[in-house]
Amino acid sequence: MKLLAQILRYQLVTSMVVLFLGAGLFYVSVRYLIDREANKELFQSQVKVRWQLKHLETLPVYILQLGDSLQLEPVRYPGRSFIRETSMLNLAENEFQPYRQLVFYERALGQWYRVTISKMLLQRQHLMEAVVMTVTFIVTVMLISLLVLNSWLSKRLWKPFYKTLGKLDAYQIQQHETLTFEPQKTLEFDQLNQSVTHLTSRVTTAYQNLKEFTENASHEIQTPLAVILSKIEGLFQDESLTESQLVALSSVSEAANRLGRLNQALLLLTKIENRQFLAGTDPINLVPIINSKLRDLEDLIDQRELSIQTDLQPFGPVIHPALAEILVNNLLTNAIRHNVEKGKIIIILRERILSVRNTGKPLNANPEQLFERFRKESTLSASLGLGLALVKTICEVNGQNLKYDIDNEWHVLTVSW
């Protein structure tokens, strides 16, 4: 709804600007018309006053229009005529009211007079304010009605779009489904839905082909690898081989075993990224898994004379059991493999956190880089460089956070959920 809210916000701002500018322009226009009408009446009164001064033997004392006033002041010399607005005391109302005045000079009875004709504007201002307020109210109601109508229409018109967006958000490529939509009256949305249907169809086909290729490639690689390893084992039984041949054969055997492990690790990564391991709804208790893996790795721990300290509570994340075992196994294997002789490992399991701490050598690289595939601290290591990459992928797929910290000699891998 962000796009719709943004559109409505722009419409509201535009409407308010138009309303204020329109109200101001209308006020100025009405004020101009009233001033022009008042000036016209003042000039008509001026003509009457001049006629009276020329044809009557007495000075005029009033003008017929109600509320107007006439003042004549004798002066020695004439001046320039002008029109102004001022406030004057209305004796009948006993308050100051707005007037528009025309000041001009006229000679009568051998004397120059400064003639001031004042026209009361109070009723006209009241009329102007009433007209402006009425029109502004009508325009405001119209704008609000248009905004409400536009908001309702926008929500109705954009409903198919958000429905399509919701289906895309819920789309699971692992379900091998192609999104289908009902025909829409809006041509653009109907074309969008058709494009989404074609796109998801192609994506599903490509995903299925990639999945089959990965599985077939892994299976096909495993078969020749098994044959190679079997032949190597048979050659080791040949007593006629020289020492140099045995050394070369050992290198081939090690490379073949490494290739097999690499194939299995990459296949596992692909399956995890393709979300072929779907988690349940209940958390997995990691305590039995940790204890089981520590027993499996007991020989390697004793060989390196490592001390293990555990502080475990029966908690764990929502995760597939197989992925939980891989996660724990890789964390523990990493802590053992990259530890120092007679080092320490501390395993802490709490309600929302699993922490594996181990002593080790200082790192020469950024710890975050160790989560990349085939990234190893030392090129001489027998590790494939995929252990932490697997851990990172498992955490990303299941919504957990993985963090690598270094605290003096301690290397800390923390999984939180």
Side-chain angles (χ1 to χ4, degrees):
M1 290 292 184
K2 290 185 178 180
L3 176 62
L4 182 58
Q6 191 173 10
I7 293 175
L8 293 177
R9 185 164 58 249
Y10 287 152
Q11 290 177 344
L12 179 60
V13 172
T14 303
S15 300
M16 294 300 295
V17 171
V18 171
L19 175 62
F20 285 118
L21 291 179
L25 181 62
F26 182 73
Y27 176 83
V28 172
S29 300
V30 174
R31 181 65 181 269
Y32 169 76
L33 293 175
I34 290 178
D35 290 345
R36 188 177 68 174
E37 186 65 23
N39 292 343
K40 181 179 178 181
E41 294 180 3
L42 285 173
F43 287 132
Q44 290 176 350
S45 299
Q46 181 185 27
V47 172
K48 295 179 181 179
V49 171
R50 281 181 172 174
W51 185 88
Q52 292 179 5
L53 289 175
K54 289 181 179 180
H55 296 85
L56 299 179
E57 296 181 356
T58 59
L59 297 178
V61 295
Y62 67 93
I63 300 179
L64 296 178
Q65 282 81 357
L66 181 64
D68 295 349
S69 65
L70 173 66
Q71 295 178 345
L72 292 91
E73 301 178 25
V75 294
R76 296 181 61 184
Y77 302 102
R80 296 179 59 185
S81 300
F82 59 90
I83 294 179
R84 67 183 179 185
E85 286 192 7
T86 185
S87 296
M88 296 174 55
L89 179 64
N90 189 334
L91 298 178
E93 301 289 340
N94 194 25
E95 62 180 8
F96 283 91
Q97 295 179 348
Y99 283 82
R100 193 166 184 82
Q101 293 181 337
L102 170 62
V103 179
F104 63 95
Y105 295 84
E106 194 69 32
R107 187 176 180 83
L109 304 177
Q111 173 69 43
W112 282 101
Y113 288 91
R114 183 185 185 205
V115 184
T116 302
I117 303 176
S118 301
K119 183 167 289 295
M120 187 171 62
L121 301 177
L122 181 62
Q123 293 181 349
R124 300 182 184 218
Q125 283 194 348
H126 289 167
L127 176 62
M128 179 184 67
E129 292 174 358
V131 171
V132 171
M133 292 297 294
T134 302
V135 174
T136 302
F137 174 76
I138 294 174
V139 173
T140 303
V141 172
M142 290 179 61
L143 284 176
I144 293 175
S145 301
L146 288 175
L147 283 175
V148 172
L149 179 61
N150 194 20
S151 173
W152 179 77
L153 287 176
S154 296
K155 290 180 179 179
R156 184 175 180 181
L157 290 175
W158 283 91
K159 187 176 180 180
F161 172 78
Y162 288 107
K163 189 175 181 180
T164 301
L165 195 62
K167 281 195 172 184
L168 283 174
D169 288 338
Y171 177 67
Q172 295 289 337
I173 192 173
Q174 298 82 9
Q175 304 298 327
H176 307 292
E177 61 176 339
T178 299
L179 294 182
T180 56
F181 304 91
E182 298 177 357
Q184 299 295 328
K185 296 180 180 179
T186 305
L187 177 62
E188 290 77 4
F189 290 150
D190 194 55
Q191 292 176 343
L192 173 63
N193 291 342
Q194 292 178 10
S195 299
V196 170
T197 299
H198 296 326
L199 175 63
T200 53
S201 177
R202 293 194 298 269
V203 168
T204 301
T205 303
Y207 170 77
Q208 183 64 24
N209 292 337
L210 178 61
K211 181 181 176 183
E212 292 177 358
F213 169 78
T214 303
E215 293 174 350
N216 294 337
S218 174
H219 177 74
E220 294 300 326
I221 290 174
Q222 286 295 107
T223 301
L225 275 176
V227 173
I228 292 172
L229 291 172
S230 176
K231 296 296 183 182
I232 291 174
E233 289 294 330
L235 289 174
F236 273 125
Q237 306 300 323
D238 190 351
E239 298 180 356
S240 63
L241 294 178
T242 64
E243 184 177 353
S244 60
Q245 290 174 329
L246 288 173
V247 171
L249 195 60
S250 297
S251 300
V252 173
S253 176
E254 182 181 350
N257 283 312
R258 182 180 178 86
L259 180 59
R261 297 198 310 272
L262 179 61
N263 177 59
Q264 293 177 354
L266 290 175
L267 178 61
L268 182 59
L269 267 172
T270 303
K271 288 183 176 180
I272 294 173
E273 290 176 343
N274 291 340
R275 300 180 184 272
Q276 293 179 236
F277 296 92
L278 299 178
T281 57
D282 299 325
I284 297 293
N285 184 4
L286 295 181
V287 174
I289 299 176
I290 294 174
N291 292 330
S292 175
K293 293 302 176 182
L294 286 176
R295 287 193 298 269
D296 294 341
L297 297 169
E298 188 173 357
D299 292 340
L300 185 57
I301 293 172
D302 294 339
Q303 181 182 349
R304 305 202 62 184
E305 300 181 11
L306 302 176
S307 62
I308 307 296
Q309 179 181 345
T310 59
D311 183 4
L312 308 178
Q313 296 181 4
F315 294 108
V318 177
I319 189 174
H320 192 279
L323 295 185
E325 292 189 9
I326 297 171
L327 175 70
V328 172
N329 181 74
N330 284 15
L331 288 174
L332 296 180
T333 303
N334 179 80
I336 295 171
R337 181 174 294 159
H338 299 286
N339 214 317
V340 296
E341 297 296 330
K342 299 182 180 181
K344 299 178 181 179
I345 297 177
I346 301 176
I347 307 170
I348 300 175
L349 177 61
R350 291 287 185 270
E351 183 176 2
R352 304 189 65 84
I353 192 171
L354 170 63
S355 174
V356 179
R357 303 167 59 93
N358 66 275
T359 52
K361 298 178 182 179
L363 286 179
N364 297 323
N366 184 357
E368 294 295 328
Q369 294 179 347
L370 297 179
F371 297 137
E372 300 174 4
R373 296 185 183 183
F374 305 108
R375 174 73 68 168
K376 297 187 291 185
E377 174 63 12
S378 173
T379 57
L380 300 178
S381 173
S383 171
L384 297 175
L386 293 175
L388 291 184
L390 271 170
V391 174
K392 181 70 173 178
T393 303
I394 291 172
C395 291
E396 289 177 348
V397 168
N398 291 277
Q400 288 107 35
N401 297 318
L402 178 63
K403 188 178 181 182
Y404 196 139
D405 294 313
I406 299 177
D407 183 11
N408 296 324
E409 63 175 356
W410 290 96
H411 297 248
V412 186
L413 276 165
T414 304
V415 179
S416 57
W417 56 88

